[in-house]
Amino acid sequence: HLFKALDQSLPTTLHGVFTSLVICCLIRYMKKENIKGRISSLDILPSCLEQPFREICTLAYHGVMKNLATFSSEDLEQLGLSQKLVTLGLIQGCESLASFQEHISYNFLHLSVQELLASFHISKLPGHEEIDVFKKLFGQPRFSAVFRFYSAFTQLKSEGIREIVLNIVKGKKKPELVHLLHGLYEAQDAPLCQFVIFHLSGKLNLRLTSLNPVDCLSVGYFLCSICNTSEGKIVVDLNNCSLNNKRVCFLIKEFSKSSASRTPAADTGVRSRTDSELELDLSNNDVGDEGAALLCGALKTNRS
């Protein structure tokens, strides 16, 4: 309903969805307070919103670093933040029943809203501090979600970020690789996909990893990117990954977009595939004839 009202198409990334939600909350606050102005980006806000928005992002960041989802009045006081931040509509306060004394707990509307705002805060830090933050977060519960949103804000262009990417690649832990693919999808960075498959020695192994639709969308973007920019043999193992005909539709979505709007490599600056071979293992999945036909059609159409 929101996007129809604004005459906009539905975002295709989680960053787009939750950024729109945050902007919607801020616009609603502006109308309530009779504040004039428009918001089209979190980078450009009316002057009266800049300070409280920075404070909310600071709260989100400290919560992520300590893996906190709820905050007390004391937490806000320690950070020098006002309880009036609740009025912006991005966090809510409710009286806690955990003690006999009056106590209010605060939380963000959604964990993803907190992680989005935390990643926005990190993206505004000096370059070396951004990398230091992710080194501290690496392996922690909130790393993957924050890294995904950070990827969208920065397109992973910050100096030193490839060191973080390389750490994930070298570890070859399948859940972390899937999280990295989420980040690559949000960043929409084909050259970085090429960098990743090169350091994986041309082999992406997600065998026995259950892939949900969002995972399939990210894997599909990665496959599409490396097929168009890499050379040599590429092996992708999706054996026993809970794929079915519907999830194959998500897997091939980026192939369809690529073939519909392909731009010559000379114009994009990205090397077009000249001699690549994709070996895709889909054994032990519930992919029927329909899914197999869709996949074969997408791969055939996408050939350069």
Side-chain angles (χ1 to χ4, degrees):
H1 175 73
L2 167 65
F3 299 105
K4 285 185 178 180
L6 297 177
D7 195 26
Q8 297 176 354
S9 57
L10 188 67
T12 58
T13 64
L14 287 177
H15 169 266
V17 170
F18 283 99
T19 296
S20 298
L21 174 61
V22 169
I23 289 176
C24 180
C25 289
L26 295 177
I27 291 174
R28 184 170 60 181
Y29 171 78
M30 290 172 61
K31 289 183 177 180
K32 181 179 178 181
E33 298 296 323
N34 198 27
I35 299 173
K36 295 183 179 181
R38 298 184 63 183
I39 302 176
S40 58
S41 167
L42 297 181
D43 287 306
I44 305 175
L45 298 176
S47 57
C48 60
L49 291 183
E50 290 178 355
Q51 180 62 28
F53 184 72
R54 280 198 299 268
E55 292 183 357
I56 283 185
C57 291
T58 299
L59 179 64
Y61 166 74
H62 283 278
V64 161
M65 297 304 290
K66 295 181 179 180
N67 195 25
L68 296 176
T70 59
F71 308 87
S72 65
S73 302
E74 291 75 18
D75 292 328
L76 270 62
E77 291 176 3
Q78 288 177 3
L79 294 172
L81 306 180
S82 170
Q83 296 180 24
K84 292 182 180 181
L85 292 179
V86 176
T87 60
L88 288 183
L90 296 172
I91 58 177
Q92 57 188 1
C94 58
E95 187 174 350
S96 173
L97 301 177
S99 65
F100 294 104
Q101 297 180 340
E102 183 177 346
H103 179 75
I104 298 178
S105 293
Y106 300 90
N107 63 275
F108 286 85
L109 295 182
H110 193 283
L111 278 179
S112 290
V113 170
Q114 180 186 358
E115 290 153 355
L116 174 83
L117 298 180
S119 65
F120 184 80
H121 175 89
I122 295 170
S123 72
K124 300 304 179 184
L125 297 174
H128 66 281
E129 291 186 28
E130 293 180 50
I131 306 306
D132 288 342
V133 165
F134 279 112
K135 285 181 178 178
K136 293 177 182 177
L137 268 180
F138 190 73
Q140 300 301 313
R142 311 292 284 277
F143 170 82
S144 60
V146 174
F147 185 76
R148 173 191 296 172
F149 289 127
Y150 172 84
S151 300
F153 280 124
T154 66
Q155 284 70 56
L156 296 174
K157 301 297 185 185
S158 302
E159 185 177 352
I161 198 64
R162 290 201 173 196
E163 180 184 347
I164 304 297
V165 172
L166 203 53
N167 286 340
I168 298 174
V169 171
K170 287 181 177 179
K172 293 186 177 180
K173 294 181 179 179
K174 294 171 186 177
E176 290 181 0
L177 283 174
V178 172
H179 296 154
L180 174 59
L181 297 184
H182 288 169
L184 295 175
Y185 174 69
E186 295 284 343
Q188 296 287 296
D189 190 336
L192 192 54
C193 293
Q194 187 177 356
F195 171 83
V196 169
I197 197 63
F198 174 80
H199 286 281
L200 285 171
S201 302
K203 299 178 181 178
L204 175 64
N205 179 12
L206 297 179
R207 178 185 289 248
L208 297 175
T209 304
S210 181
L211 300 178
N212 62 39
V214 175
D215 298 335
C216 291
L217 196 63
S218 301
V219 172
Y221 171 76
F222 183 72
L223 291 179
C224 183
S225 298
I226 61 177
C227 282
N228 283 328
T229 60
S230 300
E231 295 180 340
K233 187 175 183 178
I234 300 166
V235 179
V236 179
D237 190 346
L238 301 182
N239 188 323
N240 208 339
C241 288
S242 304
L243 299 178
N244 54 32
N245 289 340
K246 289 185 178 180
R247 295 187 183 187
V248 165
C249 292
F250 287 94
L251 195 64
I252 67 171
K253 191 176 182 66
E254 289 297 319
F255 284 93
S256 302
K257 287 168 59 178
S258 175
S259 60
S261 59
R262 183 175 292 126
T263 304
D267 296 334
T268 62
V270 177
R271 185 182 65 198
S272 178
R273 177 190 62 165
T274 57
D275 185 21
S276 68
E277 175 188 350
L278 176 63
E279 180 180 312
L280 185 59
D281 186 353
L282 294 174
S283 305
N284 299 309
N285 288 292
D286 190 22
V287 178
D289 293 341
E290 179 186 354
L294 288 171
L295 187 58
C296 290
L299 292 173
K300 181 178 180 180
T301 303
N302 196 66
R303 293 187 64 86
S304 299

